[in-house]
Amino acid sequence: GDGSPNLNRWGSYYKIIRKCNTILQNLDRPRDLNNMDRLRIEGYTRFIRAYAYYNILVDYGPAILLGDEVVNTNAPLEEYDRPRATYDETMDYTCGEFEKAAQLLPKEISILDFGRPNKGAAFALIARLRLIHASPLFNGGPAANSYFGTWKRKTDQVNYVSQQYKEERWALAAAAAKRVMDMGQYSLHTVLKD
């Protein structure tokens, strides 16, 4: 590498999204797949796609949301020149996709499937995103205003980051975190003070 590994992550995430969209579009193709396997693959694929958007959101902010569209790799550049969604739209889409994945993911992962995502992983990432969304930087108010007040989408002059404070985002974040705790599968990992 050139010592700046994060420089072209954006493109890598979209390669992942494209591969996931290709899989989701072709789930009915393999004849030897039973319905349970199909749903399991759909769950993992939706999780991986949502995780790519999660990384875009955390690293770069608002994403270009492609939905289920498979953008041709040799399409002209204009195909890719689309406005980004807003921060809120990216947040809601990503959380919604983690929710859909969670419905299809197993609650427990066997030792043979070690490292694969489960329902708890999807719920935990939603909780983390909802907490970020409620935080002062992205939830209206002085911080959001000083950092992002002038950042607007050229196509319609909408603020990329909402300048309107929404109290209910804290409730949403709390409920998402409580859902993970209520699964009864996880405990807080604490580190002893030096």
Side-chain angles (χ1 to χ4, degrees), residues 17-27 68-70:
I17 289 163
R18 184 178 186 281
K19 284 178 180 164
C20 290
N21 284 355
T22 305
I23 291 168
L24 291 171
Q25 250 186 29
N26 292 292
L27 271 177
D68 295 334
E69 184 189 346
V70 177

Side-chain angles (χ1 to χ4, degrees), residues 2 16 25 30 58 70 82 89 93-94 130 144 149-150 171 182 194:
D2 56 359
I16 292 166
Q25 250 186 29
V58 170
V70 177
R82 308 165 180 213
E89 288 162 351
Y93 175 78
T94 306
R130 291 299 182 194
T150 58
D182 288 347
D194 287 344

Side-chain angles (χ1 to χ4, degrees), residues 121-133:
F123 285 164
L125 286 162
I126 292 167
R128 185 183 284 175
L129 283 174
R130 291 299 182 194
L131 186 61
I132 293 168
H133 202 201

